[in-house]
mmCIF file of all heavy atoms in Angstrom:
data_model
loop_
_atom_site.group_PDB
_atom_site.id
_atom_site.type_symbol
_atom_site.label_atom_id
_atom_site.label_comp_id
_atom_site.label_asym_id
_atom_site.label_seq_id
_atom_site.Cartn_x
_atom_site.Cartn_y
_atom_site.Cartn_z
ATOM 1 N N SER A 50 47.678 -20.731 -2.224
ATOM 2 C CA SER A 50 46.825 -21.633 -1.445
ATOM 3 C C SER A 50 45.451 -21.009 -1.187
ATOM 4 O O SER A 50 45.255 -19.799 -1.355
ATOM 5 C CB SER A 50 47.510 -22.057 -0.152
ATOM 6 O OG SER A 50 47.950 -20.926 0.522
ATOM 7 N N SER A 51 44.506 -21.867 -0.803
ATOM 8 C CA SER A 51 43.128 -21.419 -0.619
ATOM 9 C C SER A 51 42.326 -22.465 0.139
ATOM 10 O O SER A 51 42.483 -23.661 -0.103
ATOM 11 C CB SER A 51 42.483 -21.203 -1.995
ATOM 12 O OG SER A 51 41.087 -21.075 -1.887
ATOM 13 N N THR A 52 41.476 -22.019 1.033
ATOM 14 C CA THR A 52 40.511 -22.918 1.688
ATOM 15 C C THR A 52 39.126 -22.641 1.102
ATOM 16 O O THR A 52 38.535 -23.480 0.432
ATOM 17 C CB THR A 52 40.488 -22.679 3.219
ATOM 18 O OG1 THR A 52 41.789 -22.937 3.719
ATOM 19 C CG2 THR A 52 39.475 -23.605 3.904
ATOM 20 N N ARG A 53 38.600 -21.425 1.343
ATOM 21 C CA ARG A 53 37.238 -21.078 0.943
ATOM 22 C C ARG A 53 37.028 -21.122 -0.575
ATOM 23 O O ARG A 53 36.070 -21.716 -1.064
ATOM 24 C CB ARG A 53 36.875 -19.653 1.418
ATOM 25 C CG ARG A 53 36.484 -19.564 2.849
ATOM 26 C CD ARG A 53 36.990 -18.273 3.443
ATOM 27 N NE ARG A 53 38.440 -18.359 3.553
ATOM 28 C CZ ARG A 53 39.074 -18.831 4.629
ATOM 29 N NH1 ARG A 53 38.406 -19.187 5.670
ATOM 30 N NH2 ARG A 53 40.402 -18.954 4.661
ATOM 31 N N THR A 54 37.913 -20.485 -1.311
ATOM 32 C CA THR A 54 37.688 -20.343 -2.752
ATOM 33 C C THR A 54 37.754 -21.706 -3.428
ATOM 34 O O THR A 54 36.882 -22.061 -4.218
ATOM 35 C CB THR A 54 38.722 -19.372 -3.342
ATOM 36 O OG1 THR A 54 38.740 -18.198 -2.537
ATOM 37 C CG2 THR A 54 38.388 -19.008 -4.770
ATOM 38 N N ARG A 102 43.458 -18.486 -9.742
ATOM 39 C CA ARG A 102 44.019 -17.721 -8.624
ATOM 40 C C ARG A 102 45.506 -17.560 -8.905
ATOM 41 O O ARG A 102 46.237 -18.546 -9.016
ATOM 42 C CB ARG A 102 43.783 -18.439 -7.290
ATOM 43 C CG ARG A 102 44.549 -17.792 -6.144
ATOM 44 C CD ARG A 102 44.139 -18.278 -4.770
ATOM 45 N NE ARG A 102 42.870 -17.694 -4.360
ATOM 46 C CZ ARG A 102 42.463 -17.585 -3.091
ATOM 47 N NH1 ARG A 102 43.225 -18.025 -2.103
ATOM 48 N NH2 ARG A 102 41.306 -17.048 -2.801
ATOM 49 N N HIS A 129 39.828 -9.224 -5.883
ATOM 50 C CA HIS A 129 39.211 -10.489 -5.431
ATOM 51 C C HIS A 129 37.680 -10.362 -5.557
ATOM 52 O O HIS A 129 36.955 -10.301 -4.572
ATOM 53 C CB HIS A 129 39.622 -10.764 -3.975
ATOM 54 C CG HIS A 129 39.316 -12.145 -3.497
ATOM 55 N ND1 HIS A 129 38.882 -13.164 -4.326
ATOM 56 C CD2 HIS A 129 39.393 -12.694 -2.253
ATOM 57 C CE1 HIS A 129 38.707 -14.259 -3.617
ATOM 58 N NE2 HIS A 129 39.000 -14.011 -2.354
ATOM 59 N N GLN A 132 34.858 -12.580 -3.726
ATOM 60 C CA GLN A 132 34.628 -12.277 -2.316
ATOM 61 C C GLN A 132 33.670 -11.088 -2.162
ATOM 62 O O GLN A 132 32.746 -11.116 -1.348
ATOM 63 C CB GLN A 132 35.976 -11.963 -1.643
ATOM 64 C CG GLN A 132 35.861 -11.688 -0.166
ATOM 65 C CD GLN A 132 35.577 -12.941 0.652
ATOM 66 O OE1 GLN A 132 36.264 -13.938 0.502
ATOM 67 N NE2 GLN A 132 34.559 -12.894 1.502
ATOM 68 N N MET A 238 49.122 -12.883 0.701
ATOM 69 C CA MET A 238 49.950 -13.938 0.102
ATOM 70 C C MET A 238 50.943 -13.325 -0.877
ATOM 71 O O MET A 238 50.559 -12.514 -1.725
ATOM 72 C CB MET A 238 49.056 -14.954 -0.607
ATOM 73 C CG MET A 238 48.236 -15.789 0.356
ATOM 74 S SD MET A 238 47.181 -16.981 -0.482
ATOM 75 C CE MET A 238 45.710 -16.001 -0.791
ATOM 76 N N CYS A 273 37.204 -11.183 5.061
ATOM 77 C CA CYS A 273 37.167 -12.210 4.015
ATOM 78 C C CYS A 273 37.688 -13.551 4.513
ATOM 79 O O CYS A 273 37.373 -14.587 3.939
ATOM 80 C CB CYS A 273 37.966 -11.748 2.801
ATOM 81 S SG CYS A 273 39.665 -11.289 3.195
ATOM 82 N N LEU A 274 38.503 -13.516 5.586
ATOM 83 C CA LEU A 274 39.152 -14.700 6.157
ATOM 84 C C LEU A 274 40.215 -15.222 5.176
ATOM 85 O O LEU A 274 40.019 -15.064 3.979
ATOM 86 C CB LEU A 274 38.145 -15.798 6.497
ATOM 87 C CG LEU A 274 37.008 -15.393 7.457
ATOM 88 C CD1 LEU A 274 36.087 -16.597 7.686
ATOM 89 C CD2 LEU A 274 37.541 -14.865 8.786
ATOM 90 N N PRO A 275 41.285 -15.823 5.624
ATOM 91 C CA PRO A 275 41.580 -16.190 7.016
ATOM 92 C C PRO A 275 41.846 -14.963 7.888
ATOM 93 O O PRO A 275 42.408 -13.974 7.411
ATOM 94 C CB PRO A 275 42.837 -17.045 6.889
ATOM 95 C CG PRO A 275 43.508 -16.567 5.634
ATOM 96 C CD PRO A 275 42.394 -16.196 4.714
ATOM 97 N N ARG A 301 29.998 -17.502 -0.331
ATOM 98 C CA ARG A 301 30.913 -17.694 -1.455
ATOM 99 C C ARG A 301 30.340 -18.772 -2.378
ATOM 100 O O ARG A 301 30.354 -18.643 -3.599
ATOM 101 C CB ARG A 301 32.304 -18.110 -0.959
ATOM 102 C CG ARG A 301 33.043 -17.073 -0.120
ATOM 103 C CD ARG A 301 33.481 -15.892 -0.946
ATOM 104 N NE ARG A 301 34.285 -16.279 -2.087
ATOM 105 C CZ ARG A 301 35.602 -16.528 -2.041
ATOM 106 N NH1 ARG A 301 36.272 -16.370 -0.917
ATOM 107 N NH2 ARG A 301 36.271 -16.860 -3.136
HETATM 108 N N1 LIG B 401 38.609 -15.454 1.480
HETATM 109 C C1 LIG B 401 39.265 -16.315 0.683
HETATM 110 O O1 LIG B 401 39.361 -16.151 -0.530
HETATM 111 O O2 LIG B 401 39.776 -17.382 1.334
HETATM 112 P P1 LIG B 401 40.765 -18.477 0.726
HETATM 113 O O3 LIG B 401 42.090 -17.789 0.513
HETATM 114 O O4 LIG B 401 40.836 -19.530 1.806
HETATM 115 O O5 LIG B 401 40.203 -18.995 -0.542
#
Side-chain angles (χ1 to χ4, degrees):
S50 52
S51 166
T52 300
R53 280 144 290 270
T54 311
R102 171 168 284 202
H129 193 9
Q132 182 73 50
M238 290 180 273
C273 55
L274 303 180
R301 295 290 305 277

